[in-house]
Amino acid sequence: MKHELEQAIASACRELHDADIPVVLTRPDEQFGDYATNVALQLAGRLHKNPREVAETIAEKLRTELAGRVQAVTVAGPGFINITLTDRALATAAGQAPAAKSRQHQGQTVVAEYSDANPFKVLHAGHVYTTVVGDAIAMLIETAGAAVHRVNFGGDVGLHVGRTMWAILQYLGGEHPEKLADIPADQRAEWLSAQYVTGNNVYEEDEAAKADIIALNKRVYQLHADKDHSSPFAQIYWTCRQWSYEAFDAFYARFGTKLEKYYPESEVADLGLKTVRDHIGKVFEESDGAVVFKGEPYGLHTRVFINQQGLPTYEAKDVGLIAKKYEDYHFDRSVILTDYEQQEYMAVVLKAIEQFWPELARATTYIPHSKLKLLGGIKMSSRKGNIVRAIEVLNMTAEALRAVGRTPDDVVVLGAVKYAFLKHRIGGDDIIYDPEESISLDGNSGPYLQYAHARARSILKKAGANPAEIETLEVGERSLARKISEYPEAAEKAVAELMPHHICTYLYELAQAFNRFYEHNRVIGNERQDVRVQLVTSYADTLKAGLKLLGITAPDTM
RNA sequence: GCCCGCGUAGCUCAGUGGAUUAGAGCGUCUGGCUUCGGACCAGAAGGCCGGGGGUUCGAAUCCCUCCGCGGGCACCA
């Protein structure tokens, strides 16, 4: 319906005023109508005419063109054109709303990289945030018609591995892979995290250990170069790397998502190294024994791609990664999500890549996101021991539910966590997560929407279905139908901007609209039961579809 | 120092060029209803949209400038 209106307005502008202008339809205050446009204000400036007069000519034309579908076309304020649909047209739009799908990515292949957990490191609260947001973005693109491949990039080589390996060797009392068998399967993730923290602290405090760690780091690179899977050192390394990936799989599964591929640094390092070397002199240059890209001409800064020891830094690995992703998927678009600390790092890497692979740089969308802070402003860093682990975020939320006398289950816990993260605009100020607020049963929360859905389903279950053709709507019914009909627009906007929070804002408004309706309009037993059941069905379906886009389950009972 | 991001109600956040009155939630206060699952509804108080200047018929939104907070600025990611 929206599209149809836009076309009618555009052609009216063309025929009456010989002007081609982009038509933007907005949703005005309900008192003004269902749709509004400011084309007359734009045209008036260009034609040096009175905006209200211009608006009146367009409105008159729309009244005849759209007869039967619009109830009123009026001119208001400085020259807005307000359009009110007929009840039947509005009811139809509401009925179609839940099934609406964007086509913005129709037929595309998209690679979405997010979460980026590192093997030999611990999953912290920040990973929960990037996983939830990344998955929501992946789903937005997926529902808009793309084949989405979710991938992860993590460091299985590099200093942090040296640190963890150092602690592992200490624990095992040397290179004794057989002793790994003593660690129970269900404690592996835990144990690995502890080794990471130990190695990390030692690196900061003990010079001798620091030297050992640097040597171990080189050994790990060598082990990849030699494709060594059999030496005792190699056995320990590969086993522990595998344990890390298993831990990630379990974690993502709990969130209802699956990362299709873990790109380890070791698989992209060589390609990155080679690519950077191939462009020395043209794109990169040598400086102090390292290979760098000078960003200053582009308003950026200089970064090292190959260090003095000849090893690739993350910069070079990101170069290899983009090539590998393209080789694997031939993507139309590559979306990369990281926190904003890496924003300028990414800008430099993408600028360097643009110099030799312009089409890959252009096909890349980088999204910097905010960082997560728990209430109280604890800063999370896995470098130190004082991290908040990923699992703790879920435990805290479950605890908050218990505190209000509810038995925590993952549907509600994850609904609460996901919604609390997703309702904020991506990339704004840091996200403050308050577990108590997230499970709050009233207010703008995941569980509130889940409950709203369950309640509507309960009504429908009692009423039974009896499809009706809706001809007219009473005032309360009309408000609800109007809100339901806005869903496709909210989803479209979320897809266009890759901003899931638009869905949250909309769904909450929708639930409020329903509660207002529900307060004064009985469904079961009312003479308009059939019409109202129809509306409640559309409402519940829309709520469910919207929550699904966010990765949140909408249970029928709770 | 240079570059980037952010600054909206006591708190947590939407709104990023349009409509007399800048919106929600939480918290505070007042009233209603006890249901079709009240995890509700109606209302009040609370904002010079960080300060100042400019562009525009119109600015929380765009531009300039200052202040505050956060981040980045070569071999960590």
Side-chain angles (χ1 to χ4, degrees):
Chain A
M1 191 67 219
K2 190 190 177 196
H3 191 58
E4 197 180 331
L5 290 175
E6 281 169 347
Q7 287 195 325
I9 294 165
S11 68
C13 290
R14 227 176 292 121
E15 288 170 32
L16 295 169
H17 303 283
D18 195 31
D20 250 321
I21 54 167
V23 176
V24 179
L25 268 184
T26 56
R27 291 289 197 161
D29 239 43
E30 214 177 330
Q31 52 173 317
F32 296 126
D34 295 321
Y35 288 98
T37 179
N38 66 353
V39 284
L41 287 157
Q42 293 184 55
L43 274 176
R46 199 189 288 187
L47 304 170
H48 304 290
K49 285 185 181 165
N50 180 322
R52 287 198 62 114
E53 283 170 21
V54 174
E56 198 43 64
T57 59
I58 297 170
E60 185 49 44
K61 184 151 179 76
L62 292 177
R63 281 182 203 116
T64 48
E65 292 279 313
L66 298 168
R69 280 160 298 176
V70 303
Q71 195 179 89
V73 182
T74 57
V75 175
F80 292 101
I81 299 170
N82 292 321
I83 300 166
T84 306
L85 302 179
T86 60
D87 288 351
R88 182 204 264 269
L90 183 65
T92 304
Q96 293 167 343
K101 290 253 189 301
S102 167
R103 293 175 166 270
Q104 289 179 58
H105 294 273
Q106 198 65 40
Q108 289 186 350
T109 298
V110 176
V111 175
E113 176 198 331
Y114 57 92
S115 192
D116 286 347
N118 295 302
F120 298 94
K121 247 179 171 174
V122 55
L123 284 172
H124 54 75
H127 286 113
V128 183
Y129 180 71
T130 172
T131 300
V132 167
V133 172
D135 213 45
I137 287 177
M139 264 180 295
L140 283 177
I141 298 173
E142 207 161 51
T143 54
V148 178
H149 303 279
R150 294 159 170 81
V151 306
N152 188 304
F153 178 47
D156 67 335
V157 289
L159 262 188
H160 72 275
V161 181
R163 291 170 179 163
T164 307
M165 282 299 283
W166 184 92
I168 290 172
L169 293 179
Q170 290 287 310
Y171 182 95
L172 300 175
E175 298 179 19
H176 303 297
E178 69 283 356
K179 289 195 184 166
L180 286 171
D182 296 341
I183 298 154
D186 61 352
Q187 286 172 31
R188 288 170 182 169
E190 243 0 84
W191 175 80
L192 265 178
S193 303
Q195 303 319 306
Y196 170 72
V197 172
T198 303
N200 211 40
N201 292 337
V202 146
Y203 184 84
E204 304 288 337
E205 292 151 18
D206 182 339
E207 282 301 318
K210 183 172 174 176
D212 288 346
I213 286 169
I214 290 169
L216 282 174
N217 181 28
K218 281 203 154 182
R219 275 186 77 187
V220 170
Y221 274 100
Q222 196 55 45
L223 178 159
H224 281 281
D226 298 343
K227 298 196 173 11
D228 175 3
H229 282 74
S230 57
S231 72
F233 183 72
Q235 286 182 46
I236 294 169
Y237 172 85
W238 293 110
T239 302
C240 291
R241 196 185 90 162
Q242 184 55 31
W243 286 3
S244 283
Y245 288 141
E246 283 165 13
F248 297 162
D249 279 342
F251 174 75
Y252 294 131
R254 202 169 163 196
F255 281 80
T257 187
K258 172 139 183 67
L259 277 283
E260 181 175 318
K261 190 163 168 64
Y262 295 104
Y263 281 104
E265 277 178 47
S266 60
E267 280 180 22
V268 298
D270 287 349
L271 184 53
L273 194 61
K274 183 182 178 304
T275 307
V276 172
R277 285 213 175 112
D278 285 349
H279 294 90
I280 292 175
K282 288 159 277 183
V283 177
F284 302 99
E285 55 188 86
E286 300 198 41
S287 173
D288 281 345
V291 179
V292 306
F293 174 76
K294 295 231 154 147
E296 284 74 9
Y298 310 97
L300 304 168
H301 61 266
T302 295
R303 299 201 69 99
V304 171
F305 280 63
I306 302 174
N307 69 21
Q308 288 173 335
Q309 294 155 53
L311 296 177
T313 59
Y314 245 82
E315 287 81 342
K317 291 166 190 167
D318 259 318
V319 170
L321 176 62
I322 194 168
K324 197 80 171 59
K325 280 184 196 166
Y326 190 75
E327 188 186 309
D328 289 346
Y329 298 108
H330 290 90
F331 56 77
D332 297 295
R333 183 132 302 271
S334 166
V335 179
I336 303 172
L337 198 73
T338 77
D339 75 54
Y340 59 70
E341 278 185 10
Q342 293 182 48
Q343 185 162 9
E344 285 165 85
Y345 158 85
M346 269 296 178
V348 175
V349 171
L350 286 172
K351 186 52 80 178
I353 290 171
E354 190 185 311
Q355 309 309 307
F356 48 94
W357 292 331
E359 66 291 346
L360 288 191
R362 245 182 281 119
T364 300
T365 301
Y366 169 64
I367 303 174
H369 65 71
S370 335
K371 286 189 292 187
L372 183 68
K373 287 183 177 167
L374 298 188
L375 194 68
I378 304 161
K379 193 180 175 182
M380 278 159 280
S381 160
S382 59
R383 299 256 186 102
K384 306 273 184 246
N386 64 349
I387 50 155
V388 176
R389 307 212 17 220
I391 194 77
E392 289 178 71
V393 175
L394 300 183
N395 292 346
M396 278 189 293
T397 307
E399 199 45 54
L401 274 170
R402 245 178 243 113
V404 294
R406 292 188 50 89
T407 312
D409 64 87
D410 261 9
V411 168
V412 178
V413 168
L414 289 165
V417 171
K418 287 181 179 183
Y419 190 85
F421 290 172
L422 293 172
K423 73 178 179 181
H424 297 143
R425 161 175 272 273
I426 295 171
D429 230 340
D430 289 345
I431 309 291
I432 314 267
Y433 181 61
D434 178 353
E436 282 178 33
E437 188 187 296
S438 81
I439 57 101
S440 169
L441 308 166
D442 34 40
N444 191 357
S445 75
Y448 170 90
L449 293 177
Q450 289 174 320
Y451 180 78
H453 175 263
R455 197 166 55 154
R457 289 291 173 209
S458 167
I459 294 166
L460 293 173
K461 195 176 169 195
K462 285 199 178 117
N466 191 10
E469 192 74 10
I470 302 179
E471 296 292 340
T472 59
L473 293 166
E474 289 185 353
V475 179
E477 296 164 355
R478 199 176 198 290
S479 293
L480 178 58
R482 149 96 194 249
K483 203 69 203 173
I484 295 169
S485 76
E486 288 174 26
Y487 173 67
E489 291 146 45
E492 198 70 36
K493 189 174 180 184
V495 172
E497 297 177 13
L498 296 182
M499 288 286 179
H501 80 284
H502 290 305
I503 307 269
C504 296
T505 304
Y506 167 75
L507 291 179
Y508 185 64
E509 286 171 5
L510 176 66
Q512 282 184 314
F514 178 75
N515 282 333
R516 252 167 244 141
F517 164 81
Y518 180 80
E519 188 75 10
H520 303 290
N521 301 280
R522 204 180 160 82
V523 176
I524 296 170
N526 187 278
E527 58 178 8
R528 293 183 61 79
Q529 172 166 336
D530 289 349
V531 167
R532 291 179 178 179
V533 163
Q534 195 92 328
L535 281 174
V536 176
T537 304
S538 297
Y539 160 71
D541 288 349
T542 301
L543 210 44
K544 186 166 192 152
L547 285 171
K548 193 177 174 205
L549 269 183
L550 302 173
I552 297 172
T553 308
D556 285 355
T557 59
M558 60 187 286

